[in-house]
Amino acid sequence: MPLDPSAAALLTAVAASPRAVAAHDRSAWVDLFAAEAEVNDPVGSRPHIGRRAIERFYDTFIGPNTIAFRVERDVVCPPTVLRDLTIVITMSTGATVYVPMHLRYRLIEEDGVWRIADLAAHWELAAMIWQLLRTGAPGLGAALKLGPQLIANQGIGGMIGMMRAFRSVGRTGKRMTTRVFAAAASTNPLRVRDLLGDRAEIELPAGTPVSVEQFTRRIRNMRWSKVIAAGRTVTASIRLGDTHGVAVVEFATGATHITALRFYLDTV
């Protein structure tokens, strides 16, 4: 029989990840992923696909550090879970950084259990590196260790792939996103259409296409915070009345126009 895709079942599967990370249990963490799973961490860097690549990702970024998950809210839209959180990373040199993040998990049933098929970590690499360096000698030491760790575990290609995360839609993408939000929240469909054009997909909630007019009616007076640019996406924590969620805004490759807005709203 198929597994129960309820919020509780999916949250139980997702909650196993920070437990394995805290315990430094490499096998337990890697076993949470499906056979051909993909990890994009951070979004915009080269993805890690399959068990061996995910093991190397663990050895580079998780194993040497102490990582704590401070979850502010979970948003469940089966089979996807989005975690609105801050991750606290203490490096081997003693430097500690606080990384605002949206984690997006897509789960599938495999061998009778829920496993992670896709993990997308939306956070800003440049901001984290800057914060790390501001801790002084411990941060500089951690930054200098990261390069050799990357090369040892993932080769030169892995280092180049990680550096791709420095390129993102950045402030331009954030400004465009908040302009669209502001126009829609003030019930101005003409302005929204002017900003988006005719090609952008709008899903509210994710998986349910809506028109610009429906979009502006649904998110009237929406509030947003924690706007993050990673790769070709911008994410934001949102609130619609008593409903919380995370918006994922996708941009075209090599351009600044928005191709899709997907709103993941809490169903719990």
Side-chain angles (χ1 to χ4, degrees):
M1 293 181 63
L3 292 177
D4 175 17
S6 68
L10 297 176
L11 285 172
T12 296
V14 167
S17 175
R19 286 200 304 270
V21 168
H24 282 88
D25 191 333
R26 180 179 186 263
S27 295
W29 189 77
V30 175
D31 286 344
L32 298 174
F33 292 87
E36 295 301 319
E38 181 170 320
V39 173
N40 288 273
D41 189 351
V43 168
S45 62
R46 188 179 73 177
H48 307 268
I49 303 173
R51 185 179 181 91
R52 285 293 302 126
I54 293 172
E55 288 174 338
R56 290 192 292 268
F57 172 86
Y58 180 98
D59 293 338
T60 307
F61 301 107
I62 298 177
N65 304 313
T66 299
I67 302 174
F69 290 59
R70 295 185 179 178
V71 179
E72 299 158 35
R73 189 171 301 276
D74 285 317
V75 178
V76 184
C77 300
T80 300
V81 176
L82 280 99
R83 308 204 92 171
D84 186 343
L85 76 163
T86 297
I87 286 187
V88 184
I89 307 172
T90 302
M91 312 288 185
S92 59
T93 59
T96 298
V97 293
Y98 298 80
V99 184
M101 186 179 300
H102 295 115
L103 274 177
R104 180 162 38 128
Y105 299 85
R106 184 176 65 85
L107 296 105
I108 61 171
E109 180 184 347
E110 186 176 87
D111 300 326
V113 297
W114 286 113
R115 298 192 190 278
I116 302 166
D118 296 292
L119 170 59
H122 297 265
W123 57 278
E124 298 178 356
L125 178 60
M128 189 276 279
I129 294 295
W130 175 241
Q131 184 185 160
L132 182 64
L133 295 177
R134 290 179 64 187
T135 65
L140 179 60
L144 291 174
K145 289 181 67 174
L146 179 59
Q149 286 174 351
L150 263 168
I151 294 172
N153 293 319
Q154 300 179 39
I156 295 295
M159 172 174 280
I160 295 171
M162 182 65 178
M163 295 305 102
R164 283 167 46 183
F166 281 112
R167 295 183 298 174
S168 77
V169 293
R171 293 180 181 177
T172 299
K174 290 182 180 182
R175 282 195 299 268
M176 182 169 291
T177 295
T178 56
R179 285 172 185 166
V180 171
F181 287 176
S186 62
T187 322
N188 189 342
L190 292 178
R191 177 59 175 158
V192 173
R193 193 178 297 280
D194 181 57
L195 290 166
L196 291 180
D198 297 323
R199 292 175 294 175
E201 300 175 6
I202 306 174
E203 295 181 1
L204 180 63
T208 303
V210 296
S211 67
V212 168
E213 290 73 20
Q214 291 170 321
F215 172 56
T216 54
R217 288 197 297 269
R218 290 283 302 277
I219 74 163
R220 182 179 180 183
N221 298 324
M222 182 182 80
R223 299 179 180 179
W224 59 90
S225 59
K226 195 175 181 179
V227 181
I228 296 171
R232 307 306 304 176
T233 66
V234 171
T235 56
S237 304
I238 60 171
R239 183 171 179 176
L240 285 166
D242 294 330
T243 302
H244 294 262
V246 175
V248 180
V249 181
E250 301 171 5
F251 286 77
T253 302
T256 57
H257 68 269
I258 293 172
T259 59
L261 297 92
R262 310 188 198 280
F263 290 76
Y264 293 85
L265 304 177
D266 194 3
T267 61
V268 179

